């Protein structure tokens, strides 16, 4: 493609809490190559990632579902992968089903009459204000909206998943939303945000900020892995580009919630 990428995931592996976790071997699957969206796989040594490689055209069926466009968030290039060490956590939260009625129901009724930009602001601020922040202690557990609010708390992944499920309830396409695992470089900590496609770009819903910013306005986040529906991506950078955040001065405003990460 005429572009060379330095794969950030090889340098950072996976978020710190995931390092050293066993990687289940990927079962061999039938070759689906009836269209350009078909994929085969190859494991990336030492990273726990399995890269998705487009297959050549042939006449076999059935076809896999189309992969959404990759989230080139925070100045990165999203690179398709077929599996990651965190897939089981993503599936457990993703497959929890619609949230049903709950404390969010009045907010959803209000948001239903608004345009998309207003819905994003309302959902982001509502979750940030009403869900207590607490890090997982024993094991990093990605919870659905209903589980997080039943406990009354969640960590950064739980905030992002709650927002994703609420926005799905409002009719936003699942393919337009991405759970993005990042390295917060100024803090030296792992973090997660929800990125939502808006037109040709992405906006960021962050547990640290009620204001929603465009991806290019956010500095200091290096994306590692992203998830949407049943797909995953790792992230790289063109070799001629500097590290993320080099010339971007803006970043999400700090939330007053003590200990949020």
């Amino acid at each position: 493609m005429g572009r060379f990428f330095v794969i950030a995931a090889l340098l950072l592996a996976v978020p710190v809490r995931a390092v050293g976790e066993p990687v289940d071997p990927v079962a061999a699957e039938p070759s689906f190559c009836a269209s350009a969206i078909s994929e085969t796989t190859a494991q990336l040594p030492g990273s726990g990632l399995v890269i998705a490689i487009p297959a050549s055209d042939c006449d076999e069926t059935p076809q896999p579902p189309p992969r959404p466009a990759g989230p080139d968030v925070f100045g990165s290039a999203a690179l398709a992968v077929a599996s990651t060490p965190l897939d089981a956590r993503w599936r457990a939260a993703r497959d929890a089903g619609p949230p049903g009625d709950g404390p969010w129901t009045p907010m959803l009724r209000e948001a239903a009459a608004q345009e998309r930009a207003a819905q994003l602001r309302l959902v982001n601020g509502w979750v940030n204000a009403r869900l207590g922040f607490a890090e997982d202690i024993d094991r990093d557990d990605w919870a659905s909206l209903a589980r997080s609010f039943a406990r009354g708390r969640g960590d950064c992944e739980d905030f992002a998943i709650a927002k994703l499920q609420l926005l799905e309830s409002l009719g936003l396409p699942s393919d337009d939303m991405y759970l993005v695992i990042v390295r917060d470089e100024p803090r030296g900590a792992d973090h997660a945000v929800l990125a939502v496609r808006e037109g040709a770009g992405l906006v960021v819903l962050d547990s640290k900020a009620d204001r929603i910013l465009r991806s290019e306005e956010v500095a200091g986040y290096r994306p590692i892995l992203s998830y949407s529906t049943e797909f995953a991506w790792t992230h790289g950078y063109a070799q001629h580009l500097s590290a993320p955040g080099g010339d971007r001065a803006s970043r999400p405003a700090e939330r007053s919630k003590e200990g949020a990460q």
Side-chain angles (χ1 to χ4, degrees):
M1 295 179 62
R3 300 168 66 191
F4 297 92
F5 298 100
V6 178
I7 300 178
L10 280 177
L11 301 177
L12 297 172
V14 289
V16 171
R17 287 171 292 186
V19 171
E21 294 184 3
V23 180
D24 293 332
V26 178
E29 296 181 356
S31 173
F32 299 126
C33 51
S35 75
I37 62 173
S38 305
E39 296 174 349
T40 185
T41 63
Q43 187 153 8
L44 212 59
S47 71
L49 303 176
V50 178
I51 299 295
I53 303 173
S56 58
D57 290 344
C58 69
D59 297 326
E60 295 181 18
T61 55
Q63 301 175 28
R67 178 183 288 270
D72 295 340
V73 67
F74 308 132
S76 72
L79 308 173
V81 294
S83 68
T84 81
L86 305 179
D87 288 351
R89 301 177 196 181
W90 167 241
R91 284 194 300 268
R94 180 197 70 195
D95 296 342
D101 289 333
W104 48 83
T105 302
M107 181 274 296
L108 290 178
R109 291 197 187 107
E110 177 185 351
Q114 300 186 20
E115 295 183 354
R116 179 157 166 166
Q119 291 176 337
L120 295 176
R121 290 192 299 269
L122 185 57
V123 166
N124 188 56
W126 189 89
V127 173
N128 287 352
R130 286 165 176 79
L131 189 61
F133 184 88
E135 287 279 12
D136 293 324
I137 297 174
D138 297 327
R139 184 181 183 276
D140 191 25
D141 176 34
W142 296 8
S144 66
L145 166 73
R147 281 185 58 214
S148 293
F149 274 85
R151 297 183 301 190
R153 58 178 174 78
D155 63 5
C156 50
E157 295 95 348
D158 302 330
F159 275 68
I161 291 165
K163 295 168 189 178
L164 183 151
Q165 292 183 320
L166 289 170
L167 291 169
E168 282 182 331
S169 295
L170 289 168
L172 268 71
S174 300
D175 288 351
D176 284 352
M177 295 186 283
Y178 307 86
L179 172 67
V180 185
I181 309 300
V182 304
R183 185 70 175 172
D184 186 340
E185 294 190 317
R187 293 178 176 80
D190 300 325
H191 187 47
V193 298
L194 179 66
V196 179
R197 192 167 298 284
E198 277 282 79
L202 294 158
V203 295
V204 179
L205 282 64
D206 197 330
S207 59
K208 298 176 183 173
D210 290 340
R211 183 185 174 199
I212 295 175
L213 298 177
R214 296 190 305 274
S215 167
E216 58 269 23
E217 296 179 298
V218 181
Y221 286 170
R222 180 183 288 273
I224 303 172
L225 295 169
S226 297
Y227 299 88
S228 181
T229 60
E230 61 189 84
F231 298 105
W233 295 261
T234 188
H235 293 262
Y237 294 90
Q239 288 183 331
H240 70 277
L241 296 179
S242 61
D247 59 355
R248 300 191 296 274
S250 301
R251 68 173 293 110
E254 297 295 331
R255 295 192 61 225
S256 60
K257 188 173 290 187
E258 184 176 358
Q261 292 194 12

